[in-house]
Amino acid sequence: MLENLLQYGFVVRGLEAGIIVAIIAPLIGIFLVLRRYSLIADTLAHVSLAGIAVGLLFGWNPAVTALGSTLLASFGIERLRNSKKVYGESALALFLSGSLALAIVLLSLSHGLNANLFNYLFGSIVTVTSNDVLSIALVAILVVVTLFSFYKELVYVSFDEEAAKVSGIPVRFINTVLIFLTALTVSLAIPIVGVLLIAALIVVPVVTALQLKKSFIKTIFWAEIISIFSVISGIIISFYLNLATGGTIVLLMLSIFSIVFFLKRNN
Amino acid sequence: MQKVDHTKNIIEVNDISFSYNKEKVLKNITLGIHQGDYLCLVGPNGAGKTTLLKIMLGLLSSETGSVKLFNQDIKDFKDWQRIGYVPQKATSFDINFPATVKEVVLMGRYAHAGLFHRMTEKDLELVKKSLEQVEMWEYRDRLIGDLSGGQQQRVFIARALVTEPEIIFLDEPTAGVDEKTQNEFYALLKKLNQEFSLTLVLISHDIERITKEVMHIACIDKTLVCHTSPEEYLKDSHSLDISGQPVKIITSHHHN
């Protein structure tokens, strides 16, 4: 049955891209969730939609404009937050609604409310090209190497920002690195689950693994298992049942969360 | 172990002031902390004790004056592993954070290792040593959130100890822990100060208790009201009210 499935080039490419994103998302997610930054993933996803709209309007590669806009916005959000003039969540709300408004206006200008846009909103594994897989892999390597380099600092800052600062860790720089990596990951995940469901991919496996109450390393491990399992089985199930892939993956993740949550609660 | 030189100042605070939104919370504070000292900062709520501590740790910058750590201006100071810090919120951190006792203490080594470097055998040995010093080694694989308040406090001290610092700052370490735990805690601090020659600076509200423990008391109420021995402090402040706060000092400097 699986052999049958792997005959289709687009399924193989979809699986490749999906697995790469499944590996990256919880690695970023654990730091976002623990720092109460979960909403940043969603915000940057909406920003990337504005980037895509710019790409569609001017005929540039939407993947590139999406990446550019999320990176730009990530620095904007950090600056706004550090200025202490607005609350952290308010900064996110400003960017989230602002970029969605911009996206809608730009799309109406380009008459781009078409099937193409639908792919960006909800993901479309079928349209992943081998070039996409290659660029996703390259960006993923960049994310993993950076995360690995700053792992210690990210853990300490997530646990106790003040003590980390006193111990000599450049807290603001580490925060910038984290949001920068989030921007990269969000742009990576667009073809798989689409703009609207990226946050789930980053947040849900981590939140599920946190219910298990394990050490930091083991929490990451379980989040990875849940994430990779959901993405692979989501792609396969959606193929056979002819369902939307992104939605299937996220529903699977949420089912695992519910099972773990209730099992743990009854223990 | 190096000999403690009580005449040598390791922290020098010189004429610092600080305001929050134009309201002065610290005025012209000058304070020296010598090697081997065991100093407690006391004073009413909002007197600026935590602010002063944060200035000495470089978390806030004073508007005037200077702070010297180990004879070096705080702006140029890089040797942060010589300073340990146990924050006030150590007792109110995220109890769901997925970290074991060992992982929490290891964090103390992170900045020391520098960017890109991984933890070594030596780091792990120091983690073991610090946890043994606070008698928490057997809890090493437990989640930090599953421990009692007093046990968590010990783990945070171990995290401060793990860089082998010369001085540790503690912001209200005994807030919210029961009396038995407090006794054990002060016994631990005494051991660190006397046997391991660590300089200790803490903030406390429990004046009655703290005067039995520390070497020096610095009373802060926006300005430095006094810096003296516990005996002198008790003599000077005559009567104590129910909360253990010296009445004279409170009334003369409150609400200005």
Side-chain angles (χ1 to χ4, degrees):
Chain A
M1 184 171 116
L2 200 61
E3 268 172 43
N4 208 350
L5 182 75
L6 294 179
Q7 282 172 4
Y8 298 94
F10 75 88
V11 177
V12 175
R13 286 192 298 275
L15 277 170
E16 284 168 352
I19 291 169
I20 296 171
V21 173
I23 292 170
I24 305 295
L27 291 180
I28 294 289
I30 184 125
F31 297 111
L32 295 182
V33 169
L34 290 173
R35 308 209 57 194
R36 312 286 190 280
Y37 275 14
S38 297
L39 212 59
I40 227 170
D42 211 19
T43 305
L44 289 177
H46 284 80
V47 169
S48 73
L49 188 65
I52 288 165
V54 170
L56 292 177
L57 184 63
F58 294 100
W60 299 331
N61 184 348
V64 176
T65 51
L67 183 62
S69 65
T70 47
L71 288 180
L72 216 64
S74 67
F75 288 113
I77 292 169
E78 268 307 277
R79 289 201 65 160
L80 201 57
R81 206 209 289 267
N82 285 332
S83 77
K84 303 254 159 78
K85 297 246 160 47
V86 287
Y87 298 118
E89 316 94 273
S90 315
L92 294 182
L94 287 176
F95 272 83
L96 194 151
S97 46
S99 52
L100 192 57
L102 180 66
I104 294 167
V105 169
L106 289 176
L107 289 169
S108 67
L109 274 178
S110 69
H111 309 288
L113 297 165
N114 52 27
N116 217 354
L117 177 69
F118 200 77
N119 290 345
Y120 290 112
L121 283 178
F122 303 108
S124 161
I125 282 189
V126 214
T127 54
V128 174
T129 65
S130 38
N131 266 341
D132 288 341
V133 175
L134 188 69
S135 51
I136 289 176
L138 286 176
V139 180
I141 289 169
L142 180 68
V143 172
V144 170
V145 168
T146 316
L147 268 181
F148 196 70
S149 310
F150 297 111
Y151 174 77
K152 304 190 304 300
E153 287 77 12
L154 281 163
V155 173
Y156 202 173
V157 171
S158 306
F159 184 64
D160 188 340
E161 191 167 309
E162 211 166 57
K165 204 168 171 186
V166 171
S167 81
I169 286 173
V171 170
R172 195 176 271 199
F173 171 71
I174 294 297
N175 283 341
T176 308
V177 168
L178 178 61
I179 192 169
F180 178 82
L181 292 179
T182 309
L184 281 178
T185 307
V186 163
S187 341
L188 268 190
I190 295 171
I192 313 302
V193 286
V195 166
L196 296 179
L197 292 173
I198 288 171
L201 211 62
I202 291 176
V203 171
V204 180
V206 172
V207 175
T208 310
L210 281 172
Q211 306 304 316
L212 299 170
K213 295 215 152 280
K214 302 275 187 200
S215 69
F216 199 85
I217 291 284
K218 283 184 184 158
T219 304
I220 293 180
F221 172 80
W222 282 107
E224 286 289 337
I225 297 284
I226 295 162
S227 171
I228 295 168
F229 172 81
S230 308
V231 168
I232 294 177
S233 40
I235 290 174
I236 294 172
I237 291 171
S238 65
F239 177 79
Y240 281 111
L241 300 182
N242 203 15
L243 304 170
T245 314
T248 310
I249 292 172
V250 174
L251 285 179
L252 271 172
M253 285 177 171
L254 286 170
S255 315
I256 297 172
F257 170 80
S258 310
I259 293 165
V260 170
F261 187 80
F262 285 109
L263 281 180
K264 273 283 162 186
R265 209 183 60 165
N266 292 334
N267 269 347
Chain B
M1 190 166 291
Q2 76 184 83
K3 210 174 160 313
V4 178
D5 181 358
H6 285 281
T7 61
K8 193 169 124 190
N9 271 352
I10 53 177
I11 310 276
E12 281 170 42
V13 172
N14 190 12
D15 194 30
I16 59 160
S17 301
F18 189 86
S19 324
Y20 282 114
N21 300 324
K22 291 184 183 152
E23 196 200 335
K24 273 256 187 293
V25 286
L26 289 177
K27 268 188 291 200
N28 311 102
I29 300 236
T30 297
L31 179 70
I33 300 168
H34 64 75
Q35 201 175 48
D37 203 349
Y38 187 173
L39 171 76
C40 182
L41 304 177
V42 300
N45 280 329
K49 304 180 297 286
T50 298
T51 305
L52 176 60
L53 198 75
K54 286 189 172 173
I55 289 172
M56 290 194 275
L57 289 164
L59 290 170
L60 295 172
S61 318
S62 65
E63 287 148 13
T64 60
S66 65
V67 177
K68 275 187 171 177
L69 309 175
F70 300 98
N71 255 327
Q72 212 179 3
D73 193 281
I74 196 162
K75 293 185 194 82
D76 309 318
F77 190 72
K78 293 276 182 298
D79 264 350
W80 289 104
Q81 76 267 15
R82 296 173 81 177
I83 293 175
Y85 174 44
V86 181
Q88 186 171 17
K89 64 165 189 247
T91 44
S92 61
F93 66 99
D94 174 13
I95 56 156
N96 291 316
F97 196 95
T100 61
V101 166
K102 214 163 131 186
E103 284 176 323
V104 169
V105 179
L106 198 58
M107 287 178 200
R109 296 296 303 168
Y110 284 174
H112 191 59
L115 294 176
F116 308 114
H117 287 92
R118 303 198 60 194
M119 294 285 106
T120 62
E121 273 305 303
K122 194 195 166 212
D123 292 312
L124 297 173
E125 263 169 44
L126 282 165
V127 168
K128 182 163 187 250
K129 193 178 137 200
S130 318
L131 278 171
E132 280 170 351
Q133 277 176 329
V134 300
E135 289 158 33
M136 287 297 292
W137 174 242
E138 59 183 298
Y139 294 91
R140 62 190 174 277
D141 292 323
R142 295 273 292 276
L143 285 182
I144 183 78
D146 290 347
L147 302 180
S148 72
Q151 289 171 326
Q152 287 169 354
Q153 194 62 263
R154 283 171 177 264
V155 174
F156 287 109
I157 293 201
R159 186 183 68 185
L161 286 172
V162 79
T163 58
E164 303 184 293
E166 290 159 61
I167 180 165
I168 295 187
F169 290 88
L170 307 103
D171 193 353
E172 292 200 43
T174 54
V177 292
D178 62 62
E179 204 184 324
K180 182 174 164 284
T181 312
Q182 277 193 34
N183 289 340
E184 290 167 0
F185 188 75
Y186 282 120
L188 170 65
L189 290 188
K190 190 162 261 170
K191 183 176 93 173
L192 294 176
N193 179 243
Q194 292 180 352
E195 286 175 39
F196 300 105
S197 310
L198 263 164
T199 310
L200 300 176
V201 178
L202 69 149
I203 290 178
S204 178
H205 280 295
D206 191 357
I207 294 186
E208 213 175 337
R209 180 64 211 261
I210 209 73
T211 46
K212 297 191 186 96
E213 300 290 340
V214 300
M215 265 181 230
H216 291 107
I217 299 232
C219 185
I220 312 284
D221 191 359
K222 296 193 170 73
T223 60
L224 182 67
V225 179
C226 65
H227 183 193
T228 178
S229 69
E231 297 77 26
E232 288 295 316
Y233 176 79
L234 288 175
K235 219 188 294 171
D236 285 353
S237 53
H238 305 299
S239 54
L240 298 171
D241 73 0
I242 298 160
S243 69
Q245 300 274 13
V247 173
K248 192 177 135 196
I249 288 169
I250 298 265
T251 47
S252 58
H253 290 275
H254 219 41
H255 305 300
N256 49 357

